[in-house]
Amino acid sequence: QVQLVESGGGSVQAGGSLRLSCTTSGYPVSRYCMAWFRQAPGKEREGVAHIDGEGRTSYADAVKGRFSISQDGDKDIVYLQMNNLKPEDTAMYYCAADSFGLSGGKLGSKEDYNMWGQGTQVTVTS
C-alpha cells in the first residue's frame, strides 16, 4: 500500500518561506507524475505545482516565480519550496501522485491524481 505523507507546514509571516516535503513508501517518484495541490476553507482544491518523471515542472499562475517543485529520486521525496509567501497562500497543502499518466505531463486537475496524502497546513499572516 503506497502512502504519501506531507510535512513542513506551519505558520509564517508574509514574505517568509517554507519547504514542504512529501515522502512516499515504495513509490518511485522519478517514474511518475507528482503534484502539490492546496485547498483553502470554502474553496475548491486547486493545483499548485507538478513535476513529471523527467523532472519537467509546471506551475499555477498564482505561484509562478515564488514556488519551486523538485524531487529526490533516491529518497523518493517530493519538495515544494515556497518563497515570498502571501496571506492568500494560506491553505491545506496536499501531495498527489498520478500513476496512470492522466495528467498528461502537466498540472491538470485533481481528478487526474489517484493517490493523496493527508495534507499539511500552511498559514501566512500579514
Side-chain angles (χ1 to χ4, degrees):
Q1 179 91 17
V2 176
Q3 286 187 319
L4 306 181
V5 180
E6 303 94 335
S7 62
S11 181
V12 295
Q13 288 190 326
S17 298
L18 283 173
R19 188 177 78 159
L20 306 183
S21 299
C22 172
T23 58
T24 73
S25 57
Y27 188 74
V29 297
S30 61
R31 291 182 58 190
Y32 300 105
C33 296
M34 302 290 296
W36 287 94
F37 281 72
R38 67 186 181 186
Q39 188 167 18
K43 294 189 176 182
E44 290 288 319
R45 190 171 297 191
E46 61 177 4
V48 174
H50 169 275
I51 186 166
D52 69 10
E54 307 265 333
R56 293 171 296 208
T57 60
S58 59
Y59 299 91
D61 288 342
V63 306
K64 280 181 182 176
R66 300 189 297 122
F67 289 13
S68 177
I69 187 171
S70 61
Q71 63 187 22
D72 183 330
D74 292 333
K75 297 180 181 178
D76 288 333
I77 299 176
V78 177
Y79 301 101
L80 184 68
Q81 178 67 44
M82 305 186 295
N83 299 325
N84 190 22
L85 282 160
K86 303 176 180 181
E88 51 263 43
D89 295 318
T90 295
M92 185 73 78
Y93 282 72
Y94 298 90
C95 177
D98 166 21
S99 63
F100 297 122
L102 298 180
S103 60
K106 59 185 187 297
L107 186 53
S109 65
K110 60 183 185 296
E111 289 76 19
D112 295 332
Y113 296 83
N114 56 304
M115 289 184 277
W116 294 86
Q118 294 300 306
T120 185
Q121 178 67 37
V122 172
T123 302
V124 185
T125 58
S126 57

